[in-house]
Amino acid sequence: VAMESVSYRFAAIYDQLKTVARIREVIASGGALRASHVWTRMIADILAANISLPDTREASSRGAVLLALESIGSIDSIEKLGPPPGVMFSYDKKRHSLYMRARKTHEKFYELLVENAPEI
């Protein structure tokens, strides 16, 4: 249930991002997703997006190094390099439909929780 709840929050962020940018692909990173392909597949189904999980450790560090190399002219463009290959998770339309019904319930309870949260 916890992974599902976090996945719905990712979906809320994903939906907001889609309003300001065209999302061409979803590339995931991080130990939690690498440790649980079940969770990665769940997120793909909830987002209705195929997700690539490259076999790269420390993806943020890799990105910083590539930006530095690009800025000093050692590589032409980060975009030309693309992400390293990895496992592809294709979403399932039927599971997406089921998750969307559950997401509506989740959102209802999430709003109640936020509205009634004590002031800190």
Side-chain angles (χ1 to χ4, degrees), residues 12-37:
I13 295 166
Y14 182 73
D15 290 346
Q16 290 175 5
L17 287 172
K18 289 189 306 186
T19 66
V20 296
R22 185 178 150 263
I23 299 173
R24 292 180 290 169
E25 60 186 323
V26 178
I27 302 170
S29 67
L33 296 180
R34 193 166 276 101
S36 174
H37 285 186

Side-chain angles (χ1 to χ4, degrees), residues 114-120:
V114 169
E115 288 172 8
N116 295 303
E119 292 290 325
I120 298 177

